[in-house]
Amino acid sequence: MNRHIRLIRHQRGVGLIEVLIAVLVLSIGLLGIASLQARTIKNNESSLQRTQAIMLSYFIIDAMRANRDAALKGGYNIGKTCATPSDTGSAAKRDLQAWIGALKTGLGETGGAATSGGNGGNTCGQVQCDNAGNCVITVIWDESRAETGSTAQALATSTRL
């Protein structure tokens, strides 16, 4: 009987250490899950922005196909432009103004109203078409929330009108 009592006294507090170790392991696991969730949210944001860029490329392509004659004459050609154009003299200019505005709305404007060059921010668009109807539409945006090496992203879409 004495021996049994002595064993009980000797094992005192072992349960508390086991509980503390279990809590530590559980805490590390929960931190891993939280990190995974944060990374998933960032990747989903990146995927959304890429999808928006593709849809906005098709936005201007559809406008150019609806006004094919002006597109073939270079009416839609615009260099890398980050500021919303103010010239609305023709249907092509109005389409470009609406497109750049949609780029800024859809992809966000993280750089503020103007950059050092006065271009109007980090979300930009470019359209280059030749007289044969071969066009390249480039969308450039800032993907600062994603964990890629560079935050500047560009998507080029080639098409024939």
Side-chain angles (χ1 to χ4, degrees):
M1 182 83 164
N2 257 349
R3 183 182 164 128
H4 181 64
I5 293 172
R6 194 172 34 169
L7 285 176
I8 291 174
R9 284 185 191 160
H10 182 67
Q11 291 185 0
R12 220 170 160 174
V14 173
L16 183 59
I17 292 173
E18 290 173 352
V19 169
L20 288 174
I21 291 172
V23 168
L24 176 69
V25 169
L26 182 65
S27 299
I28 292 170
L30 289 175
L31 283 174
I33 290 172
S35 172
L36 182 65
Q37 183 69 23
R39 175 163 276 158
T40 300
I41 289 170
K42 287 180 181 182
N43 288 338
N44 281 342
E45 177 72 19
S46 174
S47 176
L48 173 67
Q49 287 182 332
R50 290 177 189 278
T51 301
Q52 289 283 351
I54 291 168
M55 289 177 20
L56 291 166
S57 293
Y58 289 140
F59 172 93
I60 195 65
I61 290 170
D62 288 341
M64 291 186 321
R65 286 187 175 140
N67 194 3
R68 190 170 190 272
D69 291 336
L72 292 176
K73 292 177 185 173
Y76 284 89
N77 287 355
I78 187 170
K80 181 181 173 186
T81 303
C82 301
T84 305
S86 59
D87 180 16
T88 59
S90 66
K93 299 296 182 190
R94 286 190 297 275
D95 289 342
L96 287 170
Q97 182 184 38
W99 180 58
I100 296 291
L103 287 177
K104 292 188 174 299
T105 302
L107 295 174
E109 190 59 53
T110 60
T115 60
S116 60
N119 292 336
N122 295 328
T123 304
C124 308
Q126 179 177 348
V127 178
Q128 293 300 318
C129 294
D130 61 17
N131 56 3
N134 299 312
C135 298
V136 177
I137 291 81
T138 306
V139 177
I140 302 146
W141 73 97
D142 180 29
E143 195 175 88
S144 58
R145 292 186 66 179
E147 288 191 72
T148 57
S150 172
T151 60
Q153 299 293 320
L155 173 85
T157 305
S158 299
T159 189
R160 182 167 180 142
L161 300 178

